[in-house]
Amino acid sequence: MRAAVWHGAGDVRVEDVPVRPPGPGEVTIEVAYCGICGSDLHEYADGPHAVPVGDPHPESGVAAPLVLGHEFCGTVSETGDGVTGLAPGDRVAVEPHYRCGRCPRCLAGEYNICRHFGFAGLMGHGGLAERATVPAYMLHRLPEEVSLEQAAVFEPAAVALHAVRRAALRPGESVAVLGLGPIGLLVTRFAARHAARHGGRVVAADRSAARRELALRLGAAATGADLADLVGEEGADVTFEAVGSQDTLRASLAATRRGGRVMFLGLTGAVTLDAFALVNDEQTIMTSVGYRDVYPELIRMVAEEGEDLSAVVTSVIPLEHVVEDGFEALLRGPEQEVKVLVRPGERP
């Protein structure tokens, strides 16, 4: 089969690789769509960051070179021994978290912070391929009302919904979102859903005019290039930082009221904080990684409420074009693309 294989920074090759048959408790799917995530871009641009090199990941047993792509969905083609509840022909969304099921966090139900935390497509073979073999526990069957095009966006939507849940928004609270990549845009959507039902106001900031326009369509009350201009003198009750830099973390804290909360979602290295100001303003910094127990809610939103999560998709491309029209296009700038989906079965 054809697959996009990470060999090193700047070295992703579309090449022929063998299809691995499913072992006990595993399922092979024919991949319908796979999104390109910011994490994939980091690995392509200057990795490795999460990709295991040398020693294999303890749950996947895989080390580089590996097949990228953790935002995928498709149709079951084969099941391994011991798999129940899934059969060839079932359409499925993939929740790509590895989990050991044995560590204290897994036993507490917090599998997204498993001791052996990882994702298929970053720490093991993923979905930028014609077929993918994954543990059966990763799969969610889709009802007829949910298309594969919608399911292709479930993974970033799950990141956003988990973050909004962790922020524990209260009735009437004001929300600010800094950074309107796919995660920031989907956070805007879920915060706007909360505001529509419980009151409050959502504003969103980004340098890209195109992304600001999309945030308005997703429910933001106002957008702008400068977050400080949107929140007023008092500041927001809750700010979601979805960029990942020293400057944007500082701007998020400055835009949040005294006693408010900042949810830090962006991926970056070390940052510094003004602890004196943080303590005096009694602000809370929270973080969120991945998701847990959110896919059923996403399926329900789409199937029963007609929620359109695919609004963030800007392009669908064949696998053979994943480097130039995917990774390189996303790195060139935010005005052209937001979320790029790859359709492995399509031939250019």
Side-chain angles (χ1 to χ4, degrees), residues 37-39 42 241-245 264-269 288-289:
C37 175
S39 299
H42 283 295
E241 196 284 348
V243 179
S245 75
F264 193 37
L265 286 167
L267 297 175
T268 187
S288 179
V289 65

Side-chain angles (χ1 to χ4, degrees), residues 178 241 243-255 262-264 268 271-273 285:
L178 179 55
E241 196 284 348
V243 179
S245 75
Q246 177 69 66
D247 289 343
T248 51
L249 178 57
R250 184 183 296 114
S252 296
L253 287 164
V262 174
M263 176 61 71
F264 193 37
T268 187
V271 295
T272 60
L273 295 169
I285 295 178

Side-chain angles (χ1 to χ4, degrees), residues 36-203:
I36 298 176
C37 175
S39 299
D40 301 322
L41 285 180
H42 283 295
E43 299 297 340
Y44 174 75
D46 52 19
H49 299 286
V51 172
V53 175
D55 293 332
H57 186 271
E59 286 303 308
S60 72
V62 173
L66 60 75
V67 179
L68 285 176
H70 58 280
E71 300 181 357
F72 60 111
C73 62
T75 303
V76 173
S77 60
E78 188 178 358
T79 61
D81 291 344
V83 173
T84 59
L86 291 167
D90 286 343
R91 298 176 317 118
V92 292
V94 180
E95 180 180 357
H97 265 307
Y98 289 115
R99 62 195 80 164
C100 72
R102 304 178 301 275
C103 72
R105 300 280 50 83
C106 279
L107 294 174
E110 298 172 339
Y111 59 84
N112 65 310
I113 47 175
C114 168
R115 180 175 294 165
H116 302 306
F117 169 85
F119 292 90
L122 284 171
M123 291 82 157
H125 295 307
L128 279 175
E130 293 175 312
R131 284 179 171 78
T133 299
V134 296
Y137 63 70
M138 291 183 175
L139 303 184
H140 296 263
R141 289 181 60 194
L142 298 173
E144 291 182 3
E145 297 85 355
V146 179
S147 69
L148 287 167
E149 292 86 349
Q150 289 278 2
V153 192
F154 277 2
E155 201 280 341
V159 173
L161 182 55
H162 180 64
V164 171
R165 284 181 171 182
R166 278 185 55 76
L169 300 181
R170 302 160 192 151
E173 284 195 314
S174 60
V175 173
V177 182
L178 179 55
L180 295 176
I183 301 301
L185 286 165
L186 290 163
V187 165
T188 299
R189 178 61 196 147
F190 293 130
R193 282 174 57 95
H194 180 275
R197 296 175 180 180
H198 303 288
R201 184 170 185 266
V202 180
V203 299

Side-chain angles (χ1 to χ4, degrees), residues 268-293:
T268 187
V271 295
T272 60
L273 295 169
D274 183 344
F276 189 83
L278 188 66
V279 171
N280 278 350
D281 289 342
E282 206 174 64
Q283 291 174 318
T284 300
I285 295 178
M286 306 175 69
T287 61
S288 179
V289 65
Y291 32 78
R292 58 178 179 263
D293 305 321

